[in-house]
């Protein structure tokens, strides 16, 4: 797991070398200096919130007029530089570095980050569901795509969600976009940036929606996406049938006679392993031989405990099935592979939040959409610099870097069971 404190405070040389790779994106010397000062402030130990005064090392409130604070304020809010181009360069560096380049065994994880924010005049801020707190509150939600394998992870693209209350015609406004639409666009941006993966993974908030899965399929992506246990109804009334019902329908007579279940080994960061059980279940037209499979993975097929059972929709074909053909869009994935892919989303989730918090992701005290997007871009630059320093520039002897094991964070889904897509 990436530990920011391992590279804080940064050595002047590595940070200068990293920042120099962006110099041509800033038209003025003051902008290039602002970029370095902002990154240096974000990398400093977290003794206080990383507001503009904190980044400049000035006193809160009364230090707001200090020249160094004013320079950073101007750089973030008024200076003319393109955050999108900076992010493109950041990804270009990652994709072309052998230590961090995406590969075909990793995943792109769709996630969103909700943070509390007061007031009503700040762009994107409104009363909305904040997943990390498990409740509706005043705050800002940012949709994110992350590339990850069992060794490293980093953000690809981010976009704040704008609540309908900010728009003149509310949800009917042509500028309104749901989190699902934003997520689909971010995955398309990853494709344009040359990012490859084995599958797109997401929790049940995103996985429950047919339109998003359809867009991923049309874009040529494999996916492994969670469903709510009671997701939808495949029949009506007393005949209603859910993913959990499909799991219960698979025979199980104990570990010595597992019926339709197969053991899969999950490996955790501390080195221990656990035996889970997985099966290809049948749900309507979804099944082991369908275009979409329903894979159920659990610690206990007898009880299907809520916090240790996954219901996963995937378009990766079953080995030996009718869609495992030479011209198939995706290589086949057995049950162990499907569980591995979704498990990557779990092991990055908590540490990703911790690293962003350490770097001051939600500490901004600016109001404009431009300044917020720039702050997020700069945090992601620092995030990527931390990996650059972690690997300390890959050696030339092509010695592979040891991969840490996934963590054992198997917390439940984020609690969207009563919500519709926003």
């Amino acid at each position: 797991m990436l530990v920011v404190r391992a590279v804080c405070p940064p050595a002047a040389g590595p940070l200068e070398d990293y920042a120099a790779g962006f110099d041509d994106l800033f038209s003025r010397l003051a902008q290039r200096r602002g970029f370095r000062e902002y990154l240096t402030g974000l990398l400093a130990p977290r003794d206080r919130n990383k507001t503009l005064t904190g980044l400049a090392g000035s006193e809160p409130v009364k230090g707001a007029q200090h020249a160094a604070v004013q320079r950073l304020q101007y750089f973030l809010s008024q200076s003319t530089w393109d955050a999108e181009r900076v992010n493109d360069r950041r990804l270009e560096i990652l994709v072309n570095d052998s230590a961090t380049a995406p590969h075909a065994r990793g995943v792109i994880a769709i996630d969103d980050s909700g943070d509390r924010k007061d007031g009503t005049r700040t762009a994107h801020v409104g009363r909305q569901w904040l997943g990390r707190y498990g409740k509706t509150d005043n705050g800002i939600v940012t949709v994110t795509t992350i590339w990850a394998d069992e060794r490293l992870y980093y953000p690809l693209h981010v976009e704040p969600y704008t609540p309908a209350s900010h728009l003149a015609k509310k949800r009917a406004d042509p500028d309104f976009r749901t989190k699902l639409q934003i997520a689909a666009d971010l995955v398309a941006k990853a494709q344009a940036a040359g990012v490859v993966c084995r599958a797109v993974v997401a929790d049940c908030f995103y996985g429950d929606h047919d339109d998003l899965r359809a867009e991923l399929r049309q874009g040529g992506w494999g996916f492994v996406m969670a469903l709510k246990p009671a997701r939808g109804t495949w029949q009506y009334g007393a005949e209603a049938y859910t993913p959990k019902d499909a799991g219960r329908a698979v025979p199980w007579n104990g570990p010595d006679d597992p019926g339709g279940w197969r053991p899969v080994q999950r490996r955790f960061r501390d080195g221990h392993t656990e035996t889970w059980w997985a099966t290809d279940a049948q749900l309507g037209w979804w099944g082991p031989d369908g275009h979409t499979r329903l894979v159920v993975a659990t610690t206990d097929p007898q009880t299907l405990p809520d916090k240790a059972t996954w219901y996963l929709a995937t378009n990766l074909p079953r080995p030996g099935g009718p869609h495992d053909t030479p011209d198939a869009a995706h290589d086949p994935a057995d049950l162990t592979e499907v569980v591995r892919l979704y498990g990557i989303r779990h092991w990055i989730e908590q540490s990703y939040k911790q690293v962003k918090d350490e770097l001051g992701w939600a500490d901004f005290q600016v109001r404009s959409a431009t300044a917020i997007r720039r702050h997020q871009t700069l945090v992601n630059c620092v995030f990527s610099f931390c990996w650059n320093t972690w690997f300390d520039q890959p050696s030339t002897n092509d010695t592979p870097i040891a991969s840490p094991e996934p963590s054992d964070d198997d917390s439940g889904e984020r609690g969207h069971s009563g919500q519709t897509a926003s």
Side-chain angles (χ1 to χ4, degrees), residues 93-103 147-154 384 386-395 398-404:
I93 293 170
L94 290 165
V95 168
N96 290 293
D97 187 329
S98 61
T100 55
H103 57 76
W147 193 89
D149 62 10
E150 292 88 346
R151 183 176 59 107
L152 81 159
Y153 58 96
Y154 49 79
S384 300
C386 289
W387 279 117
N388 181 277
T389 306
W390 177 277
F391 289 118
D392 194 24
Q393 301 298 329
S395 64
D398 295 327
T399 301
I401 300 171
S403 300

Side-chain angles (χ1 to χ4, degrees), residues 44-123:
R46 191 173 176 79
D47 299 328
R48 51 187 287 197
N49 284 345
K50 295 183 179 181
T51 60
L52 289 172
T53 53
L55 295 178
S58 182
E59 292 297 320
V61 184
K62 67 180 181 181
Q65 301 306 313
H66 191 281
V69 178
Q70 289 296 300
R71 283 201 307 268
L72 289 182
Q73 173 70 54
Y74 184 85
F75 170 72
L76 194 64
S77 300
Q78 296 175 272
S79 183
T80 56
W81 56 277
D82 190 336
E84 191 81 14
R85 292 181 63 201
V86 170
N87 193 64
D88 289 345
R89 176 62 55 80
R90 179 182 67 86
L91 292 182
E92 181 183 350
I93 293 170
L94 290 165
V95 168
N96 290 293
D97 187 329
S98 61
T100 55
H103 57 76
R105 278 184 54 79
V107 302
I108 293 176
I110 300 171
D111 197 10
D112 58 59
S113 174
D115 300 285
R116 290 193 183 101
K117 283 290 177 183
D118 295 328
T120 59
R121 297 184 180 180
T122 301

Side-chain angles (χ1 to χ4, degrees), residues 19 24 46 55 101 113 119 158 205 256 323 340:
D24 62 310
R46 191 173 176 79
L55 295 178
S113 174
V158 303
F205 175 76
D256 296 330
H323 302 294
R340 179 190 77 85

